Amino acid sequence: MKNEDIVNYNRKAWNKYVDEKITWSIPVSHEIVEEAKKGNWNIVLTPIKTVPKERMGRVKGKRILCLASGGGQQGPILAAAGANVTVFDNSPKQLKQDKLVAKNEGLRINTVLGDMRELSAFENQYFDLIIHPVSNCFVPELEPVWKESYRVLKLGGSLLSGFSKPEMYLFTDEDIEKGKLIVKNKLPYCTLEETKGDMESYSKTGNTIEYSHTLEKLYPTKMATLLY
C-alpha cells in the first residue's frame, strides 16, 4: 500500500474520530487554559500519565513543535504557558480544534497540515522541543519520523514521545473488552490484517490503520544518543 494512500485514509479516519468526539479530539477547557497562564499546567503524551515538567524545562519563549498532536490539547496548554507553539497534524479537523481554542482564548498557535514523516515546512534546527503523543502507530515506518525530528531540533533539543506497547496488538479489541488476553496476532502487526489486507473491507470499519512496530524502531538507540 502506497504511503500517500495510508496518509489519506488515516486523515479521513481521524476526521471521523473528531466528529465522534473521541478522547484525543476534545479541546481543553477555558479553566485549564487560565491555569496554564498562571503556570499551573500539565500535559499528557499517553492517556493518563502526565509528563514530568523537569523533562521539558522552562517552556516560556521556547519554540515547541507538537508533532502529530492536534486536537486542542497539548498545543493550547503550552501556548498558554508562554511557548511559541506549532501544531502539526494529518487531520484538518484535529487542527481545527487547536484553532478554535486559540481563537476563543486569545492564544497564538501556528497550525500545519501534513505527514509526520515529512517536515520540509520547517528549517533545520528550528525547534527547542518536540512533543509527540501516541501517534507514530499510524505510519508504517518510524525512521523518517526520527530523522526529520532530529533535523528540525536545535542542538541539545529534546524529543518527548508516547508509544503504544507493541504487545497490545497481540490481542483483539473484542477479547480485551471481555477481559480475555488470548494471543491471536503475531508481531509486528498491522490492523489491515484483520481483513487480510483487503483495504475496501477494512475501510468499512472506519478505523485508522495502525502498526505495532518493534521495540528497536520505537526506541532508536542512535536517536537517543544524538539528542541526549
Side-chain angles (χ1 to χ4, degrees), residues 60-204:
K60 188 173 183 179
K62 282 186 176 180
R63 286 178 178 169
I64 298 180
L65 174 62
C66 294
L67 180 60
S69 181
Q73 298 180 6
Q74 295 91 356
I77 289 174
L78 293 168
N84 298 314
V85 174
T86 296
V87 178
F88 187 97
D89 201 273
N90 185 37
S91 163
K93 289 193 175 183
Q94 279 286 79
L95 292 176
K96 187 177 179 180
Q97 304 296 67
D98 292 274
K99 294 176 183 177
L100 178 64
V101 180
K103 180 180 179 180
N104 291 341
E105 304 295 340
L107 302 174
R108 296 185 63 182
I109 298 177
N110 181 38
T111 60
V112 181
L113 179 70
D115 178 356
M116 70 183 85
R117 295 166 294 179
E118 207 280 296
L119 303 178
S120 60
F122 309 117
E123 301 173 5
N124 294 347
Q125 298 186 37
Y126 186 78
F127 295 102
D128 300 288
L129 175 65
I130 295 178
I131 298 294
H132 184 45
V134 180
S135 52
N136 46 58
C137 54
F138 302 115
V139 292
E141 67 281 325
L142 294 183
E143 189 172 1
V145 180
W146 305 143
K147 282 186 174 181
E148 280 290 84
S149 294
Y150 177 66
R151 180 184 65 79
V152 302
L153 269 175
K154 293 180 181 179
L155 292 177
S158 296
L159 164 66
L160 301 182
S161 181
F163 304 97
S164 292
K165 289 187 175 182
E167 57 264 33
M168 67 174 281
Y169 291 97
L170 290 169
F171 318 105
T172 65
D173 290 339
E174 291 76 13
D175 283 345
I176 292 175
E177 289 174 4
K178 295 175 182 177
K180 298 179 180 179
L181 296 181
I182 304 171
V183 175
K184 292 184 177 179
N185 303 319
K186 63 180 181 179
L187 299 179
Y189 183 74
C190 172
T191 50
L192 277 176
E193 292 179 32
E194 295 173 13
T195 57
K196 298 181 179 180
D198 184 344
M199 184 63 189
E200 184 176 351
S201 295
Y202 186 79
S203 66
K204 294 176 182 178

Side-chain angles (χ1 to χ4, degrees), residues 46-58:
T46 55
I48 58 175
K49 191 173 182 178
T50 58
V51 179
K53 286 187 178 179
E54 58 268 22
R55 294 188 183 179
M56 292 178 280
R58 180 179 171 85

Side-chain angles (χ1 to χ4, degrees), residues 3-15:
N3 279 340
E4 57 266 30
D5 293 335
I6 296 168
V7 170
N8 291 333
Y9 176 88
N10 276 344
R11 178 173 294 168
K12 293 176 182 177
W14 261 104
N15 285 341

